[in-house]
Amino acid sequence: MTTTAPAWTALPASIARKEKILVTVKAYPNPSKKYIETVCVAGVTEGGQWIRLYPIPYRALEYDQRFPNYTWIEAAVRKSRDHRPESHYVDLETIRPLSKVGTERGWEVRRRILSPLTSSSIEYLMDQNRLNGTSLGLIRPKKVTRLLMKKQPPEWSTDELAKLRQRSLLEGMDMDGTYAVVQELEKIPFRFVYEFLCQDARCHGHKYEVISWEMLQSYRSWRDRYGQEGWETKFRQRYEDEFLGPACDLHFYVGTVSNHPGTWTIIGLFYPPAGPDVIQPSMF
């Protein structure tokens, strides 16, 4: 089953501004009544501010507009009606990937950009949320106690499936008379949850779901490669053994949920190599 990609209307130039943004994380796509499926993207502006771009129909973008994490992009954006201060609409036609910050010396560049934006704890971010609406952040956990895998229904609900299979009234036709199509979005039959403690005396522990596209795509890739019986071993090797081992300095990108401003989730993982002065978060 395939779904058709809708057409997208450009933002009025009079209210849009151009931003250069380092994309740090993309959430797994969600079914959308208006847009079929949408992705929430978070990153850092050239001026050093968090920004959220939503909605983005990532899988329906032109190939040369798609951007991996840690790519600098340029786009016209404007503040959305979302109450969260970091949230912006983006003019999809203006998205232009510029350059990728790689993983060798690139880790140093990423650290240099992200270190000033790293917060001490979830508790601190909650304080900032009450004071000024902060809804995005990056923290380094003091201790990760475990990674939970919670089974979920393997199929979309009737309502979700209707969203994914709709044909948008706004969709456009290509020059050859055909419509752009993407493979129907797969439902992930698990919720992945980290339990952790912050470096804050007020912290009594958190249990946050991870919604990063990277992690959920790992499940899909390793299930297809290793089968239903083998994917979990590979998954835990990566997200427990490797990321919580001595060679990795694990951080969590976190953000609030639009309709539940007091609820935070892990929207992505930042995992640079550990330096000699880094004390690793413990699993115990």
Side-chain angles (χ1 to χ4, degrees):
M1 175 64 66
T2 59
T3 57
T4 55
W8 303 88
T9 303
L11 302 177
S14 60
I15 59 174
R17 70 181 191 275
K18 187 175 290 187
E19 285 280 6
K20 184 177 176 183
I21 299 162
L22 179 67
V23 173
T24 56
V25 66
K26 296 189 291 289
Y28 193 75
N30 274 316
S32 167
K33 183 177 181 180
K34 186 175 181 180
Y35 301 118
I36 300 180
E37 67 173 63
T38 57
V39 170
C40 182
V41 172
V44 180
T45 68
E46 190 175 28
Q49 302 293 318
W50 290 113
I51 189 169
R52 177 186 289 108
L53 304 177
Y54 181 85
I56 291 183
Y58 186 82
R59 297 199 305 153
L61 291 177
E62 296 292 338
Y63 183 79
D64 61 359
Q65 287 188 299
R66 299 180 187 181
F67 43 86
N69 290 347
Y70 302 107
T71 298
W72 282 104
I73 67 169
E74 184 179 75
V77 304
R78 65 177 173 89
K79 181 68 183 75
S80 69
R81 291 189 295 270
D82 187 324
H83 64 277
R84 296 171 294 180
E86 302 92 345
S87 297
H88 288 71
Y89 291 122
V90 59
D91 182 341
L92 298 171
E93 294 181 1
T94 69
I95 294 175
R96 185 166 66 96
L98 301 175
S99 61
K100 193 173 189 309
V101 180
T103 57
E104 293 183 6
R105 291 189 61 82
W107 282 116
E108 299 174 20
V109 178
R110 296 177 190 183
R111 278 189 182 276
R112 189 160 60 245
I113 295 169
L114 292 166
S115 289
L117 296 172
T118 304
S119 299
S120 57
S121 64
I122 293 293
E123 288 69 28
Y124 172 81
L125 287 173
M126 288 179 172
D127 290 341
Q128 295 303 303
N129 178 266
R130 288 187 288 268
L131 288 171
N132 53 38
T134 294
S135 66
L136 286 174
L138 177 67
I139 65 132
R140 185 175 185 277
K142 178 181 179 180
K143 179 169 70 172
V144 179
T145 53
R146 57 178 172 165
L147 172 63
L148 301 173
M149 299 182 181
K150 300 183 177 182
K151 286 188 177 181
Q152 299 294 297
E155 304 294 339
W156 297 110
S157 68
T158 301
D159 180 61
E160 291 168 329
L161 201 57
K163 293 175 182 177
L164 293 173
R165 293 181 177 176
Q166 69 185 314
R167 179 176 287 268
S168 171
L169 296 177
L170 299 177
E171 68 189 357
M173 183 182 291
D174 293 337
M175 295 296 291
D176 63 359
T178 63
Y179 292 100
V181 296
V182 293
Q183 191 68 31
E184 186 172 285
L185 183 66
E186 180 181 350
K187 172 74 181 297
I188 304 299
F190 289 90
R191 291 176 61 232
F192 302 108
V193 177
Y194 274 119
E195 287 187 351
F196 64 97
L197 287 167
C198 292
Q199 303 184 63
D200 191 304
R202 298 172 293 170
C203 181
H204 299 293
H206 304 285
K207 187 184 293 186
Y208 283 1
E209 182 177 1
V210 186
I211 62 171
S212 107
W213 196 340
E214 180 181 8
M215 178 180 269
L216 273 61
Q217 180 59 32
S218 293
Y219 159 77
R220 294 182 68 245
S221 297
W222 293 333
R223 177 208 56 201
D224 293 346
R225 182 171 181 180
Y226 300 107
Q228 293 291 352
E229 302 300 321
W231 71 266
E232 184 175 343
T233 298
K234 178 65 176 176
F235 195 92
R236 289 194 179 277
Q237 284 175 350
R238 174 72 163 170
Y239 291 104
E240 284 186 341
D241 300 344
E242 180 180 340
F243 280 4
L244 295 169
C248 182
D249 183 17
L250 181 66
H251 294 61
F252 295 150
Y253 292 106
V254 294
T256 63
V257 178
S258 177
N259 295 332
H260 303 279
T263 300
W264 293 74
T265 61
I266 298 172
I267 58 176
L269 308 178
F270 179 51
Y271 43 90
D277 58 339
V278 172
I279 300 175
Q280 291 307 110
S282 171
M283 272 291 290
F284 306 101

